[in-house]
């Protein structure tokens, strides 16, 4: 299906944690359907260096370090041949990456965004995509955060803005 891509944000061993394991099976179902329908699947993966300033800024210990097992996508969602992996060092999958070029080169104009840190990486990726001209859908039950309130606030903000479609896995599967 030309024109559509799934962007899976941050579903890596060090990033997933206990707070979002419940979305792995949902994202797997979406990704499998996407592949069946010829939809491009992109993994936007945090890949950091130990001294990246973002760790100090966020007050967290270094994680998803380049070249470590922790930076790998969780086994259940491992990239397959034909999938694209984009390494990102900041919240947005677009900031200082070649994601926009990759999408435009492949004729993609609609993104379905899922993954972790709804109020951070998912929100920033979705808003950046919208601002540079993509039609964006966020699948709310395929997103999670360590702070449930943060997830809820981000989804509510996107609903209030009315510029990014918010949907559920069940509804998006009907459209693919």
């Amino acid at each position: 299906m030309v024109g559509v891509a799934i962007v899976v944000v941050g579903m890596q061993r060090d990033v997933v944690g206990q707070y979002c394991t419940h979305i792995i099976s949902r994202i797997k179902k979406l990704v499998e359907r996407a592949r069946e329908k010829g939809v491009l699947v992109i993994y936007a993966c945090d890949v950091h260096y130990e001294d990246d300033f973002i760790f100090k800024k966020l007050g967290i210990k270094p994680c998803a370090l380049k070249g470590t097992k922790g930076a790998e996508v969780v086994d259940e969602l491992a990239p397959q041949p034909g999938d694209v992996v984009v390494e990102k060092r900041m919240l947005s999958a677009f900031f200082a990456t070649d994601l926009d070029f990759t999408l435009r080169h492949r004729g993609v104009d609609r993104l379905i965004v899922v993954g972790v840190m709804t109020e951070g990486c998912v929100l920033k990726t979705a808003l950046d995509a919208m601002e540079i001209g993509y039609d964006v859908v966020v699948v709310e039950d395929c997103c999670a955060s360590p702070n449930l309130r943060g997830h809820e606030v981000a989804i509510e903000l996107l609903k209030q803005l009315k510029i990014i479609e918010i949907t559920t896995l069940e509804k998006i599967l009907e459209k693919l």
Side-chain angles (χ1 to χ4, degrees), residues 113-165:
V113 181
V114 299
V116 293
M117 290 303 292
T118 314
E119 73 277 21
C121 300
V122 171
L123 178 66
K124 187 78 167 87
T125 297
L127 287 172
D128 284 357
M130 179 277 306
E131 287 183 328
I132 58 175
Y134 293 95
D135 180 25
V136 182
V137 178
V138 171
V139 186
E140 68 178 300
D141 56 350
C142 289
C143 296
S145 290
N147 176 336
L148 179 59
R149 184 71 184 129
H151 167 81
E152 293 169 344
V153 167
I155 294 298
E156 186 56 36
L157 172 68
L158 290 171
K159 287 178 180 177
Q160 292 290 325
L161 291 174
K162 299 180 183 178
I163 51 177
I164 292 174
E165 180 184 345

Side-chain angles (χ1 to χ4, degrees), residues 25-26 45 72 77 82 87 99 125 128 132 150:
S25 62
R26 293 179 193 149
C45 295
E72 294 176 2
L77 299 174
E87 293 183 352
L99 179 57
T125 297
D128 284 357
I132 58 175

Side-chain angles (χ1 to χ4, degrees), residues 13-14 48 63-72:
R13 295 172 191 243
D14 277 357
H48 297 287
C63 61
L65 299 177
K66 188 169 183 73
T68 66
K69 288 291 240 181
E72 294 176 2

Side-chain angles (χ1 to χ4, degrees), residues 10 12-15 45-50 52 55 61-72 88-89:
Q12 299 154 257
R13 295 172 191 243
D14 277 357
V15 181
C45 295
D46 292 349
V47 177
H48 297 287
Y49 297 99
E50 200 161 332
D52 279 358
F55 298 126
K61 68 179 186 168
C63 61
L65 299 177
K66 188 169 183 73
T68 66
K69 288 291 240 181
E72 294 176 2
K88 67 184 194 70
R89 292 181 60 200

